[in-house]
PDB file of all heavy atoms in Angstrom:
ATOM      1  N   ASP I 210     -73.769-129.783 100.325  1.00 94.00           N
ATOM      2  CA  ASP I 210     -74.348-128.445 100.453  1.00 94.00           C
ATOM      3  C   ASP I 210     -75.206-128.359 101.717  1.00 94.00           C
ATOM      4  O   ASP I 210     -75.987-129.252 101.994  1.00 94.00           O
ATOM      5  CB  ASP I 210     -75.193-128.144  99.237  1.00 94.00           C
ATOM      6  CG  ASP I 210     -76.264-129.157  98.985  1.00 94.00           C
ATOM      7  OD1 ASP I 210     -75.907-130.300  98.518  1.00 94.00           O
ATOM      8  OD2 ASP I 210     -77.452-128.886  99.232  1.00 94.00           O
ATOM      9  N   VAL I 211     -74.988-127.315 102.532  1.00 94.00           N
ATOM     10  CA  VAL I 211     -75.704-127.170 103.801  1.00 94.00           C
ATOM     11  C   VAL I 211     -76.200-125.751 103.984  1.00 94.00           C
ATOM     12  O   VAL I 211     -75.611-124.796 103.433  1.00 94.00           O
ATOM     13  CB  VAL I 211     -74.832-127.599 105.000  1.00 94.00           C
ATOM     14  CG1 VAL I 211     -74.469-129.057 104.969  1.00 94.00           C
ATOM     15  CG2 VAL I 211     -73.583-126.708 105.101  1.00 94.00           C
ATOM     16  N   ARG I 212     -77.197-125.623 104.810  1.00 94.00           N
ATOM     17  CA  ARG I 212     -77.673-124.361 105.371  1.00 94.00           C
ATOM     18  C   ARG I 212     -77.605-124.507 106.871  1.00 94.00           C
ATOM     19  O   ARG I 212     -78.128-125.430 107.413  1.00 94.00           O
ATOM     20  CB  ARG I 212     -79.100-124.064 104.905  1.00 94.00           C
ATOM     21  CG  ARG I 212     -79.213-123.682 103.467  1.00 94.00           C
ATOM     22  CD  ARG I 212     -80.619-123.203 103.101  1.00 94.00           C
ATOM     23  NE  ARG I 212     -81.615-124.203 103.310  1.00 94.00           N
ATOM     24  CZ  ARG I 212     -82.916-124.031 103.188  1.00 94.00           C
ATOM     25  NH1 ARG I 212     -83.395-122.829 102.939  1.00 94.00           N
ATOM     26  NH2 ARG I 212     -83.785-125.023 103.367  1.00 94.00           N
ATOM     27  N   ALA I 213     -76.922-123.551 107.497  1.00 94.00           N
ATOM     28  CA  ALA I 213     -76.729-123.614 108.930  1.00 94.00           C
ATOM     29  C   ALA I 213     -77.592-122.575 109.635  1.00 94.00           C
ATOM     30  O   ALA I 213     -77.696-121.445 109.213  1.00 94.00           O
ATOM     31  CB  ALA I 213     -75.254-123.371 109.267  1.00 94.00           C
ATOM     32  N   ASP I 214     -78.224-123.008 110.733  1.00 93.00           N
ATOM     33  CA  ASP I 214     -78.989-122.118 111.571  1.00 93.00           C
ATOM     34  C   ASP I 214     -78.259-121.980 112.910  1.00 93.00           C
ATOM     35  O   ASP I 214     -78.293-122.861 113.783  1.00 93.00           O
ATOM     36  CB  ASP I 214     -80.396-122.727 111.838  1.00 93.00           C
ATOM     37  CG  ASP I 214     -81.254-121.890 112.752  1.00 93.00           C
ATOM     38  OD1 ASP I 214     -80.898-120.695 112.919  1.00 93.00           O
ATOM     39  OD2 ASP I 214     -82.287-122.397 113.249  1.00 93.00           O
ATOM     40  N   TYR I 215     -77.566-120.796 113.039  1.00 92.00           N
ATOM     41  CA  TYR I 215     -76.792-120.544 114.291  1.00 92.00           C
ATOM     42  C   TYR I 215     -77.729-119.968 115.333  1.00 92.00           C
ATOM     43  O   TYR I 215     -78.313-118.947 115.120  1.00 92.00           O
ATOM     44  CB  TYR I 215     -75.636-119.587 113.996  1.00 92.00           C
ATOM     45  CG  TYR I 215     -74.625-120.128 112.966  1.00 92.00           C
ATOM     46  CD1 TYR I 215     -74.702-119.746 111.622  1.00 92.00           C
ATOM     47  CD2 TYR I 215     -73.639-120.997 113.370  1.00 92.00           C
ATOM     48  CE1 TYR I 215     -73.794-120.246 110.710  1.00 92.00           C
ATOM     49  CE2 TYR I 215     -72.722-121.459 112.486  1.00 92.00           C
ATOM     50  CZ  TYR I 215     -72.802-121.082 111.150  1.00 92.00           C
ATOM     51  OH  TYR I 215     -71.884-121.598 110.249  1.00 92.00           O
ATOM     52  N   ARG I 216     -77.823-120.637 116.436  1.00 90.00           N
ATOM     53  CA  ARG I 216     -78.740-120.266 117.486  1.00 90.00           C
ATOM     54  C   ARG I 216     -78.096-119.508 118.604  1.00 90.00           C
ATOM     55  O   ARG I 216     -76.872-119.557 118.812  1.00 90.00           O
ATOM     56  CB  ARG I 216     -79.432-121.535 118.071  1.00 90.00           C
ATOM     57  CG  ARG I 216     -80.339-122.178 116.951  1.00 90.00           C
ATOM     58  CD  ARG I 216     -80.787-123.536 117.338  1.00 90.00           C
ATOM     59  NE  ARG I 216     -81.713-124.104 116.364  1.00 90.00           N
ATOM     60  CZ  ARG I 216     -82.076-125.355 116.330  1.00 90.00           C
ATOM     61  NH1 ARG I 216     -81.635-126.214 117.211  1.00 90.00           N
ATOM     62  NH2 ARG I 216     -82.916-125.787 115.383  1.00 90.00           N
ATOM     63  N   GLY I 217     -78.920-118.806 119.368  1.00 86.00           N
ATOM     64  CA  GLY I 217     -78.411-117.947 120.450  1.00 86.00           C
ATOM     65  C   GLY I 217     -77.684-118.715 121.567  1.00 86.00           C
ATOM     66  O   GLY I 217     -76.799-118.126 122.206  1.00 86.00           O
ATOM     67  N   ASP I 218     -78.023-119.991 121.747  1.00 88.00           N
ATOM     68  CA  ASP I 218     -77.331-120.775 122.854  1.00 88.00           C
ATOM     69  C   ASP I 218     -76.021-121.383 122.344  1.00 88.00           C
ATOM     70  O   ASP I 218     -75.399-122.188 123.062  1.00 88.00           O
ATOM     71  CB  ASP I 218     -78.288-121.856 123.357  1.00 88.00           C
ATOM     72  CG  ASP I 218     -78.768-122.789 122.291  1.00 88.00           C
ATOM     73  OD1 ASP I 218     -78.300-122.681 121.122  1.00 88.00           O
ATOM     74  OD2 ASP I 218     -79.622-123.668 122.623  1.00 88.00           O
ATOM     75  N   GLY I 219     -75.648-121.083 121.070  1.00 89.00           N
ATOM     76  CA  GLY I 219     -74.397-121.613 120.584  1.00 89.00           C
ATOM     77  C   GLY I 219     -74.548-122.852 119.779  1.00 89.00           C
ATOM     78  O   GLY I 219     -73.570-123.280 119.094  1.00 89.00           O
ATOM     79  N   THR I 220     -75.674-123.533 119.852  1.00 92.00           N
ATOM     80  CA  THR I 220     -75.867-124.734 119.029  1.00 92.00           C
ATOM     81  C   THR I 220     -76.160-124.340 117.557  1.00 92.00           C
ATOM     82  O   THR I 220     -76.416-123.193 117.245  1.00 92.00           O
ATOM     83  CB  THR I 220     -77.038-125.586 119.571  1.00 92.00           C
ATOM     84  OG1 THR I 220     -78.257-124.834 119.506  1.00 92.00           O
ATOM     85  CG2 THR I 220     -76.780-125.992 121.037  1.00 92.00           C
ATOM     86  N   VAL I 221     -76.107-125.339 116.677  1.00 94.00           N
ATOM     87  CA  VAL I 221     -76.333-125.129 115.250  1.00 94.00           C
ATOM     88  C   VAL I 221     -77.169-126.274 114.711  1.00 94.00           C
ATOM     89  O   VAL I 221     -77.008-127.422 115.145  1.00 94.00           O
ATOM     90  CB  VAL I 221     -75.020-124.996 114.495  1.00 94.00           C
ATOM     91  CG1 VAL I 221     -74.227-126.296 114.550  1.00 94.00           C
ATOM     92  CG2 VAL I 221     -75.270-124.543 113.042  1.00 94.00           C
TER      93      VAL I 221
END
Side-chain angles (χ1 to χ4, degrees):
D210 54 288
V211 295
R212 287 188 298 173
D214 179 17
Y215 297 99
R216 294 168 175 167
D218 58 6
T220 62
V221 65

